């Protein structure tokens, strides 16, 4: 079983071209696995650089 199944849905070259730090999608996925996020909740993604993590939330 893969540790980051949602992250692997994105093309690795695109992720590497747009990240502003190390493995932002993996870090975000790890965080989301430890939070109780519901479908009606809102997330404020401040300082998202090129929007990579905002795209991950959609």
């Amino acid at each position: 079983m893969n540790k980051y199944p949602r992250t692997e849905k994105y093309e690795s070259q695109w992720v590497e071209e747009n990240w502003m730090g190390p493995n932002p999608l993996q870090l975000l996925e790890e965080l989301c696995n430890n939070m109780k996020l519901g479908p009606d909740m809102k997330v404020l993604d401040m300082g998202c650089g090129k929007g990579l993590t905002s795209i991950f939330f959609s």
Side-chain angles (χ1 to χ4, degrees):
M1 188 168 124
N2 186 349
K3 187 172 181 178
Y4 304 105
R6 290 183 62 195
T7 298
E8 286 199 352
K9 292 179 183 178
Y10 297 93
E11 209 174 300
S12 60
Q13 182 179 351
W14 177 77
V15 172
E16 290 176 17
E17 288 172 356
N18 289 289
W19 70 19
M20 306 281 294
N23 304 313
L25 298 185
Q26 289 178 0
L27 294 172
L28 184 57
E29 189 165 357
E30 190 76 37
L31 178 65
C32 289
N33 287 337
N34 293 293
M35 296 176 64
K36 294 179 181 176
L37 295 173
D40 294 329
M41 297 176 80
K42 294 181 181 179
V43 176
L44 176 60
D45 191 13
M46 292 182 65
C48 60
K50 295 184 178 182
L52 192 67
T53 52
S54 295
I55 293 168
F56 182 86
F57 272 124
S58 47

